[in-house]
Amino acid sequence: HTRSASVSGLGDVYKRQSTICPMNESSVRMATVAARAADEKLATNIAVLDVTQPLTITDLFVIASAETERQVQAIVDEIEFQMKEAGYKPAKREGVRESRWSLLDYTDIVVHVMRDEEREFYGLDKLYADCPIVPIEGIEPYERPVKWEDEVDVRSVDSIDEIPLAAPEPDRDEL
């Protein structure tokens, strides 16, 4: 798992909050194959996120949604087929049998394909909302929901008390 100092042909570097971040060209190539394969099977809300800052185990997340388990499976099958054709083999596969949230780990990128309900419930996009979006040519640009702008960045809090509860706090007699 290496990171190149510079990348040619794919936008070289991109800026995020006055920080210049080099992109790993091979990771972007892999993510492009996966994102385009997902798009071919009508995945929605395809996001490629640069997770190099919060994670050291991978460069990019490719996240895609589908309405049904059958569509999740079709998207996963197409991604695996096209990645294999491009010479990439997953190091690990999770959730492929259930087809609600499937994960394909290609080491430098991790692909998450999930039903809309699982994506909303688990909030993977929200958890990594501080990570830069990597644009992929030919894929509709991913836009984060505006409602997240006012929410707490969980990586920047000093205390857990600064993170709002997902549900109302229970009464003392309910504890």
Side-chain angles (χ1 to χ4, degrees), residues 138-151:
I139 302 295
E140 185 175 323
Y142 172 73
E143 292 186 30
R144 292 183 170 104
V146 176
K147 65 182 178 181
W148 293 353
E149 292 176 2
D150 297 331
E151 296 190 19

Side-chain angles (χ1 to χ4, degrees), residues 4 6-10 23-30 59 88:
S4 61
S6 66
V7 178
S8 60
L10 293 170
M23 277 205 249
N24 182 328
E25 185 174 352
S26 66
S27 297
V28 174
R29 264 197 310 270
M30 290 173 70
D59 292 336
Y88 307 117

Side-chain angles (χ1 to χ4, degrees), residues 46-110:
I46 300 169
V48 178
L49 305 178
D50 178 346
V51 294
T52 55
Q53 290 300 318
L55 301 176
T56 58
I57 58 172
T58 194
D59 292 336
L60 303 172
F61 275 0
V62 177
I63 307 171
S65 298
E67 289 185 19
T68 66
E69 287 92 351
R70 179 177 275 180
Q71 188 183 12
V72 168
Q73 188 59 54
I75 293 165
V76 168
D77 289 346
E78 187 65 20
I79 291 169
E80 287 186 305
F81 174 76
Q82 289 195 29
M83 293 293 279
K84 184 177 179 183
E85 289 289 304
Y88 307 117
K89 182 180 176 196
K92 190 165 185 148
R93 302 165 75 235
E94 297 279 340
V96 176
R97 197 178 302 197
E98 296 83 16
S99 298
R100 295 174 71 80
W101 178 354
S102 296
L103 181 146
L104 303 171
D105 183 349
Y106 289 90
T107 308
D108 288 341
I109 73 164
V110 177

Side-chain angles (χ1 to χ4, degrees), residues 93-132:
R93 302 165 75 235
E94 297 279 340
V96 176
R97 197 178 302 197
E98 296 83 16
S99 298
R100 295 174 71 80
W101 178 354
S102 296
L103 181 146
L104 303 171
D105 183 349
Y106 289 90
T107 308
D108 288 341
I109 73 164
V110 177
V111 180
H112 301 268
V113 182
M114 55 189 82
R115 288 185 336 132
D116 295 325
E117 291 83 6
E118 275 71 22
R119 188 166 179 175
E120 179 69 26
F121 180 79
Y122 290 106
L124 196 59
D125 308 68
K126 188 174 173 182
L127 182 61
Y128 294 97
D130 60 331
C131 295

